[in-house]
Amino acid sequence: MAEQLSVTEETTWTAAEAALFDNPLLDNVAHFLPASRRSTRLTLAKVRRGQELLGVAPVLVLRRYRSTRLLRPDLRARLDRPLGRLSAMTQCLLDTTFLGFAHEAPFLARDPAELPAARAAIIGHLKARRDIAAIGITEPAADPAALRQAGFDSFLQLPLMVAETAGCADLEAYLARQTPKRRRNMRSEMKLLADAGGRVRIHPPGQDRALVDRMHALLIQSAQRNAGLEVPHALLLNDYGSFRAQRQWAITVELGGQVIGFFSFLSHRGVMHQLHGGLDYAAGPAVKLYPNLMHAAVVHAIATGARAVSFGPLNNEAKRRVGVEYPVMSSLWVRNPLKRWFSRNWMVPRLDVWRGPMPEGPIIASPLYEGRPRAPS
């Protein structure tokens, strides 16, 4: 009889375990584990057969989290105060936030053949935890039939925005794929920064303390500027100790000798994954700083032979103009039948990230890790 799989939730990631998976995005998760707190706890769910580690997934547990905070801003403003405490429950999130928003499921296995079993084992383990009232899984949009059988309700959420650079020998080749309007905008924005004396720099991991501190200050400035976007794990994502420990590359823009903006990223399987970003909102708008950071990432991707740049979920118009949309779905399991009915019929269609019900028929698989370019959306 085959030995059963076991699942444990752990707060360590050893060098030996990292070597088994050889995935810098997974290694990146480990930098956030020490920043966990009672209300927002991040662990790695590890699946083993006997002593052999087969699979892993980042698991974020939000203790007594108010679901009303995830509603559209207009509804959140009206309902969070009177109904927030009633909506509070301990929820578990499985997504790729700490994996650089990879357009993959948040379950990883050393052997792809073991992935379905490892995934099922982790979901079963979390369902068995009586303190968890709801489980959310965010992953590339696909047929949700198996999740429906497991009691999940699925819907389309914010898509992932990706700039596809596969096969581009230079920037002109990339621009040739874009619409005329996008070509004009990109050239105009890059010229605006250059004419102002802006300078783009690329920094490998191991940046000096002064640069790290400046980037983190810009990160916090952007977080405060976008406080209206509800990010349940913002405290973890923006934690200074975690930020300083990350082995991330950085793209900075300097103006007048001062760093006024940055993007940081990790590369995996030919894709640059944005991890963080921060802007100086006093100096940035005049030189189109945010679009220029994205343009600089595209230029770097082309120069290094990367197939694509992942900019994370579509949460602003500038991202829409730089890339193509990759469909993403969220699936929600709620333990209490009454709360599940309420979530499915009232809460989900009013979530800030909701983008519609799952479509009928097949969903085209993502070409992100296959290097096949598509027309801009």
Side-chain angles (χ1 to χ4, degrees):
M1 181 176 179
E3 195 170 3
Q4 290 188 338
L5 302 182
S6 63
V7 179
T8 55
E9 294 175 56
E10 303 178 16
T11 56
T12 59
W13 185 241
T14 68
E17 290 170 331
L20 290 175
F21 285 81
D22 190 26
N23 184 331
L25 300 180
L26 180 53
D27 299 341
N28 184 63
V29 180
H31 297 305
F32 294 92
L33 297 175
S36 289
R37 56 206 73 201
R38 188 166 179 260
S39 62
T40 312
R41 186 167 186 264
L42 179 67
T43 62
L44 285 170
K46 300 178 184 178
V47 183
R48 293 183 175 89
R49 180 180 291 115
Q51 298 299 313
E52 182 185 10
L53 180 62
L54 302 180
V56 65
V59 173
L60 183 71
V61 175
L62 306 173
R63 184 178 180 273
R64 299 293 297 165
Y65 182 77
R66 299 196 317 236
S67 299
T68 47
R69 293 171 63 180
L70 296 172
L71 294 171
R72 297 194 310 264
D74 58 324
L75 292 174
R76 187 192 317 157
R78 297 202 329 257
L79 300 178
D80 186 44
R81 185 179 294 274
L83 300 179
R85 294 183 66 181
L86 294 175
S87 74
M89 56 182 172
T90 298
Q91 306 178 39
C92 171
L93 301 182
L94 292 154
D95 64 23
T96 60
T97 297
F98 299 98
L99 294 166
F101 296 105
H103 198 243
E104 295 183 301
F107 306 88
L108 299 95
R110 292 166 54 198
D111 180 354
E114 299 273 17
L115 184 57
R119 176 189 177 113
I122 292 171
I123 293 175
H125 164 81
L126 295 172
K127 279 185 172 183
R129 279 186 52 174
R130 300 303 299 178
D131 61 318
I132 291 179
I135 300 172
I137 302 173
T138 301
E139 58 191 326
D143 185 354
L147 281 166
R148 192 179 303 117
Q149 292 176 357
F152 285 79
D153 297 305
S154 302
F155 59 94
L156 290 175
Q157 76 136 35
L158 293 172
L160 186 73
M161 295 309 299
V162 175
E164 296 178 332
T165 55
C168 293
D170 52 31
L171 182 59
E172 288 304 313
Y174 176 81
L175 289 170
R177 293 180 181 172
Q178 310 306 308
T179 63
K181 184 176 181 180
R182 285 192 180 185
R183 285 197 293 271
R184 288 195 302 271
N185 287 343
M186 188 170 180
R187 287 189 173 114
S188 173
E189 289 160 352
M190 293 177 71
K191 184 176 185 300
L192 179 66
L193 179 63
D195 289 348
R199 181 174 182 179
V200 175
R201 289 181 180 268
I202 309 297
H203 308 267
Q207 298 96 12
D208 65 63
R209 180 70 174 268
L211 177 58
V212 171
D213 286 351
R214 174 58 179 167
M215 291 193 301
H216 189 261
L218 292 170
L219 171 65
I220 297 303
Q221 187 176 148
S222 288
Q224 293 171 345
R225 181 67 174 253
N226 296 289
L229 297 171
E230 175 60 19
V231 182
H233 28 51
L235 287 176
L236 284 185
L237 276 174
N238 300 335
D239 177 76
Y240 174 76
S242 303
F243 183 84
R244 187 179 174 193
Q246 286 178 279
R247 297 289 299 168
Q248 54 190 340
W249 286 72
I251 299 174
T252 61
V253 170
E254 296 178 7
L255 192 63
Q258 171 83 312
V259 173
I260 63 169
F262 84 97
F263 277 0
S264 62
F265 64 91
L266 282 176
S267 295
H268 180 52
R269 292 167 58 188
V271 178
M272 287 172 51
H273 294 266
Q274 184 186 347
L275 302 178
H276 298 288
L279 311 175
D280 182 330
Y281 286 90
V287 292
K288 299 287 186 180
L289 176 58
Y290 189 71
N292 269 303
L293 280 167
M294 288 189 284
H295 301 333
V298 169
V299 170
H300 182 71
I302 294 169
T304 57
R307 295 198 298 270
V309 184
S310 170
F311 290 110
L314 174 61
N315 54 14
N316 60 64
E317 188 59 31
K319 284 186 183 180
R320 187 190 302 278
R321 294 196 299 267
V322 80
V324 295
E325 299 181 10
Y326 282 65
V328 173
M329 75 178 186
S330 283
S331 302
L332 181 65
W333 173 86
V334 181
R335 185 181 302 279
N336 182 287
L338 181 59
K339 288 186 176 181
R340 179 185 176 187
W341 181 91
F342 178 77
S343 295
R344 176 199 297 158
N345 293 283
W346 191 89
M347 178 74 72
V348 164
R350 292 168 174 81
L351 294 176
D352 194 19
V353 300
W354 190 79
R355 288 298 180 271
M358 293 301 297
E360 297 293 333
I363 295 176
I364 298 175
S366 161
L368 181 57
Y369 297 105
E370 300 171 18
R372 292 185 283 110
R374 299 185 299 172
S377 51

